[in-house]
Amino acid sequence: MKLFNRFKNRTKQIKVPKKRKSPMKKDHSKRTALAVWSMLSTIVIFSILTVMLSVNTRSGLNTTNAMLNQENVEVEEIMSQPLAEQFLSGFVPTYINVTNTNEAIEERKQNLREYMVQSESFQNERNEFYQLSGIQGDRVLKSYSLFDVQDEQENEALFQYKVTFTNRIHHEKEVEIEQEEKDDEDEEDREPETEIVTETEETDQTLLLSIPVQSQENQFAVSGVPYFSEVPTVKGVIEQEEVERAEAYTGEDTEPIHTFLNTFFTRYASEPKEELAYMMKEPMSLNGAFELDELTDTHIVEQEEGYQVFVTVLFRGVETNIPHVVNMELDLQRHEGNFFIETLQYQ
Protein backbone atom coordinates (compact mmCIF):
# COMPACT_ATOMS: atom_id res chain seq x y z
CA MET A 1 0.00 0.00 0.00
CA LYS A 2 2.82 2.33 0.91
CA LEU A 3 4.51 1.28 -2.25
CA PHE A 4 1.45 2.27 -4.25
CA ASN A 5 1.17 5.62 -2.54
CA ARG A 6 4.83 6.31 -3.14
CA PHE A 7 4.46 5.53 -6.84
CA LYS A 8 1.44 7.71 -7.03
CA ASN A 9 3.23 10.62 -5.41
CA ARG A 10 6.18 10.27 -7.76
CA THR A 11 3.82 10.14 -10.68
CA LYS A 12 2.31 13.42 -9.61
CA GLN A 13 5.71 14.96 -9.29
CA ILE A 14 6.51 14.19 -12.91
CA LYS A 15 5.59 17.28 -14.97
CA VAL A 16 4.49 16.50 -18.43
CA PRO A 17 5.32 19.38 -20.69
CA LYS A 18 2.27 20.88 -22.30
CA LYS A 19 2.04 20.29 -26.00
CA ARG A 20 2.62 23.49 -27.79
CA LYS A 21 0.94 24.27 -31.00
CA SER A 22 3.53 24.82 -33.70
CA PRO A 23 2.79 28.12 -35.48
CA MET A 24 1.65 27.58 -39.11
CA LYS A 25 3.15 29.94 -41.68
CA LYS A 26 0.55 31.50 -43.93
CA ASP A 27 0.95 31.12 -47.71
CA HIS A 28 1.52 34.58 -49.27
CA SER A 29 2.45 33.29 -52.73
CA LYS A 30 -0.92 34.16 -54.28
CA ARG A 31 -0.79 37.71 -53.00
CA THR A 32 2.76 38.08 -54.23
CA ALA A 33 1.87 36.69 -57.64
CA LEU A 34 -1.12 39.02 -57.84
CA ALA A 35 1.04 41.99 -56.95
CA VAL A 36 3.66 41.02 -59.53
CA TRP A 37 1.07 40.55 -62.28
CA SER A 38 -0.61 43.80 -61.31
CA MET A 39 2.73 45.58 -61.57
CA LEU A 40 3.47 43.97 -64.93
CA SER A 41 -0.01 44.80 -66.20
CA THR A 42 0.42 48.38 -65.08
CA ILE A 43 3.77 48.59 -66.83
CA VAL A 44 2.31 47.12 -70.02
CA ILE A 45 -0.68 49.47 -69.92
CA PHE A 46 1.54 52.50 -69.34
CA SER A 47 3.84 51.33 -72.12
CA ILE A 48 0.92 51.03 -74.53
CA LEU A 49 -0.41 54.43 -73.46
CA THR A 50 3.06 55.91 -73.89
CA VAL A 51 3.37 54.47 -77.40
CA MET A 52 -0.11 55.65 -78.31
CA LEU A 53 0.61 59.09 -76.91
CA SER A 54 3.89 59.18 -78.81
CA VAL A 55 2.18 58.14 -82.04
CA ASN A 56 -0.60 60.64 -81.46
CA THR A 57 1.92 63.35 -80.67
CA ARG A 58 3.94 62.47 -83.77
CA SER A 59 0.77 62.47 -85.84
CA GLY A 60 -0.16 65.83 -84.36
CA LEU A 61 3.30 67.17 -85.12
CA ASN A 62 3.10 65.85 -88.66
CA THR A 63 -0.31 67.44 -89.08
CA THR A 64 1.00 70.69 -87.64
CA ASN A 65 4.06 70.57 -89.88
CA ALA A 66 1.87 69.82 -92.86
CA MET A 67 -0.33 72.77 -91.98
CA LEU A 68 2.71 74.98 -91.51
CA ASN A 69 4.14 73.78 -94.81
CA GLN A 70 0.79 74.42 -96.43
CA GLU A 71 0.77 77.88 -94.92
CA ASN A 72 4.27 78.41 -96.23
CA VAL A 73 3.18 77.28 -99.65
CA GLU A 74 0.27 79.66 -99.49
CA VAL A 75 2.55 82.46 -98.35
CA GLU A 76 4.98 81.78 -101.19
CA GLU A 77 2.35 82.62 -103.77
CA ILE A 78 3.09 82.70 -107.44
CA MET A 79 3.52 86.20 -108.78
CA SER A 80 0.18 87.64 -109.87
CA GLN A 81 0.54 88.23 -113.58
CA PRO A 82 -2.46 90.60 -113.92
CA LEU A 83 -1.12 92.80 -111.13
CA ALA A 84 2.37 92.73 -112.61
CA GLU A 85 0.95 93.77 -115.98
CA GLN A 86 -0.88 96.61 -114.28
CA PHE A 87 2.42 97.74 -112.75
CA LEU A 88 4.28 97.47 -116.06
CA SER A 89 1.57 99.36 -117.94
CA GLY A 90 3.08 102.47 -116.36
CA PHE A 91 6.71 101.44 -116.66
CA VAL A 92 6.80 100.54 -120.37
CA PRO A 93 5.68 103.98 -121.67
CA THR A 94 7.94 105.71 -119.15
CA TYR A 95 10.94 103.69 -120.34
CA ILE A 96 10.26 103.83 -124.08
CA ASN A 97 9.25 107.47 -124.46
CA VAL A 98 12.24 109.83 -124.71
CA THR A 99 11.95 113.53 -125.52
CA ASN A 100 15.19 115.33 -126.30
CA THR A 101 14.92 118.21 -123.84
CA ASN A 102 16.68 118.66 -120.52
CA GLU A 103 13.39 119.00 -118.65
CA ALA A 104 11.89 115.87 -120.19
CA ILE A 105 15.05 113.83 -119.60
CA GLU A 106 15.17 114.86 -115.93
CA GLU A 107 11.49 114.04 -115.46
CA ARG A 108 11.97 110.63 -117.09
CA LYS A 109 14.86 109.88 -114.75
CA GLN A 110 12.83 110.64 -111.65
CA ASN A 111 9.85 108.64 -112.90
CA LEU A 112 11.98 105.61 -113.70
CA ARG A 113 13.54 105.58 -110.23
CA GLU A 114 10.08 105.09 -108.74
CA TYR A 115 9.70 101.80 -110.62
CA MET A 116 13.11 100.37 -109.72
CA VAL A 117 14.08 98.23 -106.73
CA GLN A 118 15.34 100.01 -103.63
CA SER A 119 19.04 99.42 -104.09
CA GLU A 120 21.99 101.76 -103.81
CA SER A 121 22.70 101.30 -107.50
CA PHE A 122 19.26 101.97 -108.95
CA GLN A 123 18.40 104.77 -106.54
CA ASN A 124 21.55 106.62 -107.54
CA GLU A 125 20.54 109.11 -110.22
CA ARG A 126 24.06 108.92 -111.67
CA ASN A 127 23.47 105.31 -112.66
CA GLU A 128 24.22 104.80 -116.35
CA PHE A 129 20.70 103.45 -116.72
CA TYR A 130 19.30 106.98 -116.43
CA GLN A 131 21.87 108.81 -118.55
CA LEU A 132 20.85 110.00 -122.04
CA SER A 133 23.79 112.11 -123.10
CA GLY A 134 24.48 112.57 -126.81
CA ILE A 135 20.98 111.71 -128.04
CA GLN A 136 19.90 113.20 -131.35
CA GLY A 137 16.18 112.60 -131.49
CA ASP A 138 13.03 111.43 -129.81
CA ARG A 139 11.52 108.00 -129.26
CA VAL A 140 7.74 107.66 -129.12
CA LEU A 141 5.85 104.51 -128.14
CA LYS A 142 3.21 103.46 -130.65
CA SER A 143 1.98 100.15 -129.21
CA TYR A 144 2.98 97.30 -126.92
CA SER A 145 1.58 93.90 -125.96
CA LEU A 146 2.62 91.12 -123.61
CA PHE A 147 4.58 88.48 -125.51
CA ASP A 148 5.74 86.00 -122.85
CA VAL A 149 6.46 85.58 -119.14
CA GLN A 150 9.40 83.47 -117.98
CA ASP A 151 9.82 82.44 -114.34
CA GLU A 152 13.38 83.16 -113.24
CA GLN A 153 13.26 82.23 -109.56
CA GLU A 154 11.03 82.65 -106.51
CA ASN A 155 9.13 85.95 -106.67
CA GLU A 156 10.99 86.99 -109.80
CA ALA A 157 9.97 86.76 -113.45
CA LEU A 158 11.00 88.12 -116.83
CA PHE A 159 8.18 89.92 -118.62
CA GLN A 160 8.63 90.25 -122.37
CA TYR A 161 6.70 92.83 -124.37
CA LYS A 162 6.46 93.28 -128.10
CA VAL A 163 6.90 97.04 -128.52
CA THR A 164 6.61 99.24 -131.58
CA PHE A 165 7.99 102.77 -131.37
CA THR A 166 8.82 105.66 -133.69
CA ASN A 167 12.29 107.17 -133.89
CA ARG A 168 12.14 110.86 -134.75
CA ILE A 169 15.30 112.54 -136.00
CA HIS A 170 15.26 116.34 -136.35
CA HIS A 171 17.39 118.03 -139.01
CA GLU A 172 17.91 121.74 -139.46
CA LYS A 173 17.96 122.92 -143.02
CA GLU A 174 18.46 126.29 -144.66
CA VAL A 175 15.85 127.04 -147.30
CA GLU A 176 15.35 130.00 -149.57
CA ILE A 177 12.39 132.26 -148.97
CA GLU A 178 10.32 133.23 -151.95
CA GLN A 179 10.28 137.01 -152.36
CA GLU A 180 7.80 139.27 -154.06
CA GLU A 181 8.97 140.73 -157.35
CA LYS A 182 9.51 144.47 -157.48
CA ASP A 183 9.27 146.53 -160.70
CA ASP A 184 12.36 148.61 -160.04
CA GLU A 185 14.58 145.69 -159.07
CA ASP A 186 16.41 143.37 -161.36
CA GLU A 187 15.89 139.71 -160.46
CA GLU A 188 19.56 138.93 -161.01
CA ASP A 189 20.67 141.66 -158.63
CA ARG A 190 18.29 140.60 -155.87
CA GLU A 191 19.99 138.69 -153.06
CA PRO A 192 18.10 135.54 -151.98
CA GLU A 193 16.70 135.42 -148.49
CA THR A 194 16.92 132.19 -146.50
CA GLU A 195 15.67 130.79 -143.25
CA ILE A 196 16.46 127.78 -141.05
CA VAL A 197 13.71 125.16 -140.84
CA THR A 198 13.58 121.88 -138.95
CA GLU A 199 12.69 118.72 -140.78
CA THR A 200 11.71 115.50 -138.96
CA GLU A 201 12.54 112.04 -140.23
CA GLU A 202 10.50 109.19 -138.76
CA THR A 203 11.15 105.45 -138.75
CA ASP A 204 9.28 102.70 -136.93
CA GLN A 205 10.87 99.77 -135.10
CA THR A 206 9.40 96.65 -133.50
CA LEU A 207 11.48 94.83 -130.88
CA LEU A 208 11.09 92.53 -127.89
CA LEU A 209 11.54 94.35 -124.58
CA SER A 210 12.50 92.06 -121.65
CA ILE A 211 11.91 93.41 -118.13
CA PRO A 212 13.03 91.57 -114.94
CA VAL A 213 10.44 92.06 -112.19
CA GLN A 214 10.42 91.17 -108.48
CA SER A 215 7.33 90.91 -106.27
CA GLN A 216 6.66 90.96 -102.56
CA GLU A 217 3.13 90.77 -101.15
CA ASN A 218 1.66 91.91 -104.45
CA GLN A 219 4.04 94.85 -104.66
CA PHE A 220 6.31 95.06 -107.69
CA ALA A 221 9.59 96.62 -108.79
CA VAL A 222 11.86 96.37 -111.81
CA SER A 223 14.94 94.50 -110.59
CA GLY A 224 17.33 94.94 -113.50
CA VAL A 225 18.05 96.87 -116.66
CA PRO A 226 15.50 96.09 -119.41
CA TYR A 227 16.96 94.99 -122.72
CA PHE A 228 15.88 94.75 -126.36
CA SER A 229 16.10 91.76 -128.70
CA GLU A 230 14.58 90.57 -131.92
CA VAL A 231 10.99 89.38 -131.72
CA PRO A 232 11.09 85.58 -132.17
CA THR A 233 8.62 83.92 -134.47
CA VAL A 234 6.03 81.66 -132.89
CA LYS A 235 4.57 80.45 -136.16
CA GLY A 236 5.25 76.76 -136.58
CA VAL A 237 4.76 74.02 -139.13
CA ILE A 238 2.75 71.42 -137.20
CA GLU A 239 1.61 68.26 -138.92
CA GLN A 240 -1.66 66.71 -137.88
CA GLU A 241 -2.60 63.14 -138.62
CA GLU A 242 -5.85 62.57 -140.43
CA VAL A 243 -8.38 60.61 -138.42
CA GLU A 244 -9.54 57.52 -140.26
CA ARG A 245 -13.31 57.26 -140.33
CA ALA A 246 -15.37 54.14 -140.54
CA GLU A 247 -16.81 53.06 -143.85
CA ALA A 248 -19.52 55.42 -145.09
CA TYR A 249 -23.13 54.34 -144.81
CA THR A 250 -24.95 54.10 -148.16
CA GLY A 251 -28.21 52.43 -147.12
CA GLU A 252 -31.80 53.48 -147.54
CA ASP A 253 -31.60 56.23 -144.91
CA THR A 254 -28.91 58.11 -146.83
CA GLU A 255 -31.28 60.32 -148.81
CA PRO A 256 -33.59 61.10 -145.83
CA ILE A 257 -30.53 62.05 -143.76
CA HIS A 258 -29.33 64.48 -146.46
CA THR A 259 -32.79 66.01 -146.64
CA PHE A 260 -32.92 66.38 -142.86
CA LEU A 261 -29.46 68.00 -142.76
CA ASN A 262 -30.35 70.59 -145.40
CA THR A 263 -33.56 71.47 -143.56
CA PHE A 264 -31.81 71.62 -140.21
CA PHE A 265 -28.88 73.81 -141.28
CA THR A 266 -31.20 76.17 -143.16
CA ARG A 267 -33.13 76.75 -139.95
CA TYR A 268 -29.96 76.63 -137.83
CA ALA A 269 -28.60 79.63 -139.77
CA SER A 270 -31.73 81.74 -139.92
CA GLU A 271 -33.99 81.02 -136.95
CA PRO A 272 -33.68 81.52 -133.17
CA LYS A 273 -32.70 78.46 -131.17
CA GLU A 274 -36.15 78.14 -129.59
CA GLU A 275 -37.51 77.14 -133.02
CA LEU A 276 -35.11 74.18 -133.16
CA ALA A 277 -36.20 72.49 -129.94
CA TYR A 278 -37.99 69.70 -131.81
CA MET A 279 -34.87 68.97 -133.89
CA MET A 280 -32.14 69.15 -131.20
CA LYS A 281 -31.70 67.96 -127.64
CA GLU A 282 -29.78 71.14 -126.78
CA PRO A 283 -30.99 73.80 -129.23
CA MET A 284 -28.52 76.33 -130.67
CA SER A 285 -28.49 78.54 -133.77
CA LEU A 286 -26.80 81.40 -135.63
CA ASN A 287 -29.97 83.46 -135.16
CA GLY A 288 -30.14 85.00 -138.61
CA ALA A 289 -26.55 86.19 -138.94
CA PHE A 290 -25.87 83.72 -141.79
CA GLU A 291 -27.70 81.74 -144.39
CA LEU A 292 -26.98 78.25 -145.67
CA ASP A 293 -25.10 78.05 -148.95
CA GLU A 294 -24.39 74.30 -149.25
CA LEU A 295 -23.19 71.13 -147.56
CA THR A 296 -19.83 70.51 -149.21
CA ASP A 297 -18.97 67.15 -147.63
CA THR A 298 -21.07 64.63 -145.73
CA HIS A 299 -19.86 61.34 -144.25
CA ILE A 300 -22.43 59.10 -142.54
CA VAL A 301 -21.45 56.23 -140.23
CA GLU A 302 -24.02 53.70 -139.06
CA GLN A 303 -24.02 52.91 -135.34
CA GLU A 304 -25.88 50.41 -133.17
CA GLU A 305 -28.42 53.12 -132.50
CA GLY A 306 -28.69 55.94 -135.00
CA TYR A 307 -25.97 57.52 -137.12
CA GLN A 308 -22.82 59.56 -136.68
CA VAL A 309 -22.53 62.31 -139.28
CA PHE A 310 -19.45 64.34 -140.22
CA VAL A 311 -20.40 67.32 -142.34
CA THR A 312 -18.73 70.43 -143.78
CA VAL A 313 -21.17 73.33 -143.99
CA LEU A 314 -20.75 76.52 -145.99
CA PHE A 315 -22.65 79.52 -144.63
CA ARG A 316 -22.60 83.09 -145.98
CA GLY A 317 -23.07 86.35 -144.13
CA VAL A 318 -26.50 87.78 -144.74
CA GLU A 319 -25.22 91.34 -145.20
CA THR A 320 -21.80 90.76 -146.79
CA ASN A 321 -22.05 87.33 -148.44
CA ILE A 322 -18.68 86.51 -146.82
CA PRO A 323 -18.31 82.71 -146.59
CA HIS A 324 -18.11 80.96 -143.22
CA VAL A 325 -17.02 77.30 -143.38
CA VAL A 326 -17.41 74.99 -140.38
CA ASN A 327 -16.88 71.28 -139.75
CA MET A 328 -19.42 69.59 -137.52
CA GLU A 329 -20.05 66.18 -135.98
CA LEU A 330 -23.64 65.15 -135.27
CA ASP A 331 -25.17 62.20 -133.46
CA LEU A 332 -28.50 61.42 -135.14
CA GLN A 333 -31.22 59.31 -133.53
CA ARG A 334 -34.69 58.28 -134.65
CA HIS A 335 -37.42 60.08 -132.72
CA GLU A 336 -41.12 59.54 -133.49
CA GLY A 337 -40.35 58.62 -137.07
CA ASN A 338 -38.06 61.60 -137.66
CA PHE A 339 -34.38 62.27 -137.12
CA PHE A 340 -33.31 64.04 -133.92
CA ILE A 341 -29.89 65.52 -133.06
CA GLU A 342 -28.66 64.17 -129.74
CA THR A 343 -25.34 66.04 -129.89
CA LEU A 344 -23.71 68.61 -132.18
CA GLN A 345 -20.04 69.51 -131.93
CA TYR A 346 -17.74 71.77 -133.92
CA GLN A 347 -14.55 70.10 -135.10
Side-chain angles (χ1 to χ4, degrees):
M1 187 72 175
K2 291 181 180 181
L3 182 61
F4 176 76
N5 289 331
R6 188 181 297 173
F7 178 77
K8 184 178 180 179
N9 289 332
R10 287 184 177 182
T11 302
K12 288 181 179 181
Q13 291 178 357
I14 297 173
K15 294 181 179 181
V16 178
K18 292 182 179 180
K19 193 174 184 182
R20 296 182 180 180
K21 294 182 180 180
S22 58
M24 298 291 295
K25 294 184 178 180
K26 294 183 178 180
D27 186 1
H28 298 287
S29 59
K30 291 185 178 180
R31 185 181 299 176
T32 303
L34 180 62
V36 171
W37 281 110
S38 298
M39 185 185 305
L40 291 175
S41 299
T42 303
I43 293 173
V44 170
I45 292 173
F46 274 105
S47 298
I48 293 174
L49 290 175
T50 302
V51 172
M52 292 177 64
L53 181 61
S54 176
V55 171
N56 188 49
T57 303
R58 176 59 61 183
S59 176
L61 288 174
N62 290 338
T63 303
T64 304
N65 290 333
M67 294 176 64
L68 290 174
N69 290 334
Q70 182 66 26
E71 291 178 0
N72 290 335
V73 170
E74 292 176 358
V75 169
E76 296 173 1
E77 294 179 353
I78 298 175
M79 180 185 295
S80 171
Q81 182 172 322
L83 290 179
E85 288 186 63
Q86 182 67 28
F87 163 75
L88 291 171
S89 66
F91 174 80
V92 173
T94 301
Y95 179 74
I96 295 294
N97 289 324
V98 176
T99 302
N100 191 9
T101 65
N102 292 332
E103 294 79 7
I105 291 174
E106 182 62 27
E107 182 180 0
R108 177 180 180 273
K109 179 196 301 183
Q110 299 305 323
N111 290 337
L112 284 177
R113 287 174 61 190
E114 296 179 2
Y115 288 96
M116 307 306 293
V117 291
Q118 296 297 311
S119 68
E120 182 178 353
S121 174
F122 282 112
Q123 292 308 311
N124 186 349
E125 62 180 19
R126 295 184 179 181
N127 189 313
E128 288 293 331
F129 174 61
Y130 305 117
Q131 307 311 312
L132 295 175
S133 60
I135 64 175
Q136 298 178 356
D138 302 332
R139 187 171 67 192
V140 181
L141 178 66
K142 291 186 67 175
S143 64
Y144 69 99
S145 59
L146 184 65
F147 186 85
D148 192 16
V149 179
Q150 299 179 2
D151 293 331
E152 296 293 307
Q153 53 187 339
E154 183 181 339
N155 297 326
E156 185 169 350
L158 187 69
F159 283 76
Q160 296 179 312
Y161 283 86
K162 181 180 178 181
V163 296
T164 299
F165 51 85
T166 301
N167 295 312
R168 292 176 179 171
I169 308 299
H170 308 290
H171 302 283
E172 289 187 349
K173 183 179 180 181
E174 184 178 4
V175 297
E176 184 177 341
I177 302 175
E178 292 185 3
Q179 303 179 27
E180 295 182 1
E181 295 184 0
K182 295 181 180 180
D183 296 338
D184 59 346
E185 185 178 10
D186 189 356
E187 183 176 353
E188 294 181 357
D189 297 335
R190 188 170 62 239
E191 293 184 0
E193 295 184 9
T194 61
E195 65 176 353
I196 303 297
V197 297
T198 301
E199 293 183 348
T200 302
E201 179 184 349
E202 294 188 351
T203 57
D204 288 345
Q205 277 187 297
T206 299
L207 294 171
L208 189 70
L209 176 64
S210 298
I211 311 168
V213 176
Q214 284 187 352
S215 68
Q216 184 177 3
E217 297 180 355
N218 286 332
Q219 301 293 311
F220 302 88
V222 177
S223 58
V225 177
Y227 56 90
F228 290 106
S229 59
E230 183 181 8
V231 180
T233 180
V234 292
K235 184 187 298 183
V237 179
I238 302 174
E239 296 183 0
Q240 185 177 31
E241 295 182 359
E242 294 291 336
V243 178
E244 294 185 4
R245 295 172 179 171
E247 184 178 354
Y249 170 78
T250 57
E252 61 181 7
D253 279 341
T254 302
E255 191 62 32
I257 290 175
H258 280 278
T259 301
F260 171 81
L261 292 175
N262 275 280
T263 301
F264 167 73
F265 283 113
T266 298
R267 304 192 65 175
Y268 177 84
S270 59
E271 297 182 5
K273 65 180 183 179
E274 291 78 12
E275 299 296 326
L276 302 177
Y278 74 96
M279 304 181 79
M280 304 182 68
K281 185 175 183 179
E282 297 181 2
M284 60 178 70
S285 78
L286 299 177
N287 200 25
F290 295 88
E291 60 184 15
L292 177 64
D293 189 329
E294 62 176 328
L295 305 182
T296 61
D297 182 30
T298 304
H299 186 89
I300 304 171
V301 178
E302 187 176 15
Q303 297 181 320
E304 291 184 4
E305 295 183 2
Y307 301 92
Q308 185 179 27
V309 180
F310 302 90
V311 58
T312 300
V313 188
L314 174 60
F315 298 103
R316 289 190 179 273
V318 173
E319 302 294 334
T320 62
N321 207 40
I322 295 175
H324 174 54
V325 181
V326 294
N327 296 316
M328 294 187 178
E329 179 184 339
L330 294 80
D331 181 15
L332 290 185
Q333 303 289 329
R334 283 284 190 181
H335 183 67
E336 297 181 355
N338 296 316
F339 289 106
F340 185 79
I341 299 175
E342 286 288 334
T343 61
L344 184 151
Q345 296 178 341
Y346 284 91
Q347 290 185 314

